Amino acid sequence: MILKIKSILEIQHTWVIIFCLLTGSIYAQHVQIKSDHIEIKYDKNFNRDIQWLDVSDNSLIHYDANIQSGIVIDGINCRPFIIDKKSQKQKEVNHPEFGACKETVIAGSYRKNGLYIERQTKVLLPKNFSNVALFQTTYRNLGGKRVHVDSVYSQRIVLGHQKGTKEPYTLASFQGGVNEWGEDYSMIWLTPGFEQDNFQGMHIADDKGEIVGGGMPFIDIWGKSMGVALAHLETTPQWLSLPVKVLDNMLVDAGILEVPDESVGINGWLEPKGTYQTVLSAIIFHELDFYDALHTYGDLLRRRGINIPKTSPEGAYEPYWKSWGFELDFTLEEIYGILPELKSMGINIANLDDGWFDYYGDWEFDRSPGKFPNGEPDMIAFVDSVHQMGFKTNLWWYPLGVSLESRLAKEHPDYLIMDKEGNSPIESRKLYQLCPAYVPAMEHIRKLVEKFTVVWGYDGLYSDTRGLSAVPPCYNPKHNHKTPLESFQAVPKVFEVIDVTLKKHNKEAIHEVCICAVAHSPYNMPYYDLASASDPINLLQTRRRIKVEKAIHGPTFAVGDCYQVPDDEWSGFSVPQAFESAIGTGAQATTFYTDLDSVQYQHWNRWFKDYTKLKLSSAAYTNLYDIAYDSPEVHVVKKGEEIYYGIYADLWSKTDTIELRGLKQGVNYSVFDYANKRKLGNVNGNHPFINVGFRDFLLIFLKPED
């Protein structure tokens, strides 16, 4: 019996040796790149497997040799590229933007179907961004004929369900593309059949034919234990897609797709020895929802010179009212009439919204009775009167828009974007658009900002509409563009001109931006102080979009709540009143009401004064909960030693426990319900749980006991 066991052990030992030799042989054909946090392997055919080592359950990432980054040339999917092991280079470098990095360069070639293409991929693992891997690939035509690049996946990854999920498709996502008004982008469940290309260029967004573009070149997919985000890190907006598709087997195919298009100036033709270089892309690993990945993305862009502000000037946090409640047919007397009530509630900013002008582009005056019948003298008098009543005031406008009937369109058609047929395209508001890459057009904007601030006396500007997200390629021959995409890539210049001119004449001027129902572009972010939550259509969207802006900017950046509207004034547009959603998430409180009864006034007065007293909009949003997988929904804002929790659910039972994350071990805290002005008891950091029933919201703050 002993001999039999020994014989079996010897056989097993022999098989172990054989297995090790085999795996060693296979491994020798791989390129391995590894840090303490990320492991990347390329097989001999240039297929990549990437894993995040910081989580015990990283089953979100799947390996599929058939779904990989790669290139299609002359209709041929060039696979496989055979790696040349001799060309592999690994070294430690001090990157001029990302600092200390492990740099790996891998080369391979495709020689088939009459093509000879070399591929060289550079991989960076930055030490200061331990959960990030950066990639950029160059393809070179080593053949003797001219070829065309049809498409390139500069980044591609396969993701799937994780252990413990009830359904194979239970994954959440952030989608940075621009789509139909009302569609969410901050949190979308990836269900069977889901597909979205997140194209950043101009495209039809809905069945009405609205053409939009831009957005945020960032997608994120996460499960219960981890998430993976993809983004490009180019320093200007790019004409590309970030497609996400749920496959028939319930896996998710996500990537960054470049499609050269000579008609817009993206050359895909490769002469012999010619090269095509992909965008610089990032894979960002994280836990919880999109917040940490977006925060990292913002920091990576800052390293590349996109100076997104991390916080806002003091004036950006002040609550304000705007005249939109009266809509386009307001009168100045209506505005004057509401100011004393606003002041009694501590609101000292009253903004003039849409309806004050005649034509977009000219930005002259609506001379209707009750508005500005005498033109500029009436406008100056209005601003002076508002100032004398103790208010600041900012002006609404759409800087790129030009009415078809305007004097500007007739006298300066050369300022406008022109399509290939020689016509000026008309955007969703039925307007032409100025070309951001044409200096005289930007000078027109500069002079307008100067007039608004220096001559009229406005304290800041509110730049608005979906048309600010992107503009079409411009073919106007008078502009002498190097490529038609110059207009598309120069949109950030519009925001820069506005901001620089504002600050030149008034250092305390506030520039607020709303890109209606669109994810803000990071390329515009360096040039404004206050971001709106982008016209959410429900309170869930409101809170999620506030979290988005806090993430990419910084935890104390000013983010507008998109307006408190009394229930009886709500028209179904935007969201009804919910101070609790604004204050509990650290947003700026704003409104455009027109009339409050005595009960409404008490409610408004209470919350605006609480908002001013609490100052949560300038406190630090802290990411401790996942908006997809944690229940109830919780947002945390820290102010010194005090921790504020905004907790949301349709109906929460007192028998269900709420975990209060972020408490210090062993510390006792007093728990206050500041919405209902009551003490709920105490909790210790060693057991951070409470049982409180509520409907819709629970707003509490915790303070360490002495």
Side-chain angles (χ1 to χ4, degrees), residues 567-586:
D567 291 337
D568 61 334
E569 293 186 20
W570 186 56
S571 61
F573 181 79
S574 192
V575 293
Q577 66 185 60
F579 285 97
E580 298 84 4
S581 279
I583 293 175
T585 54

Side-chain angles (χ1 to χ4, degrees), residues 414-432:
D414 56 304
Y415 288 11
L416 306 178
I417 288 173
M418 183 179 290
D419 62 21
K420 286 185 285 188
E421 286 72 38
N423 302 312
S424 292
I426 298 175
E427 52 90 85
S428 59
R429 288 200 173 212
K430 311 302 180 188
L431 305 170
Y432 300 136

Side-chain angles (χ1 to χ4, degrees), residues 178-195:
V178 181
N179 288 292
E180 185 175 2
W181 189 299
E183 287 191 14
D184 203 358
Y185 55 82
S186 51
M187 216 293 287
I188 301 172
W189 289 107
L190 297 182
T191 53
F194 178 89
E195 185 173 1

Side-chain angles (χ1 to χ4, degrees), residues 25-33 40-50 63-69 79-85 88 106-109 119:
S25 175
I26 293 169
Y27 179 77
Q29 299 178 55
H30 284 66
V31 175
Q32 184 181 34
I33 308 165
I40 304 169
K41 291 181 180 179
Y42 285 93
D43 69 15
K44 66 177 182 179
N45 294 328
F46 232 124
N47 298 318
R48 183 193 68 195
D49 184 21
I50 183 169
Y63 171 77
D64 190 326
N66 295 312
I67 303 179
Q68 295 281 330
S69 302
R79 301 186 68 246
F81 278 86
I82 306 302
I83 284 181
D84 178 6
K85 286 282 290 184
Q88 177 191 338
I106 311 160
S109 60
R119 171 180 174 177

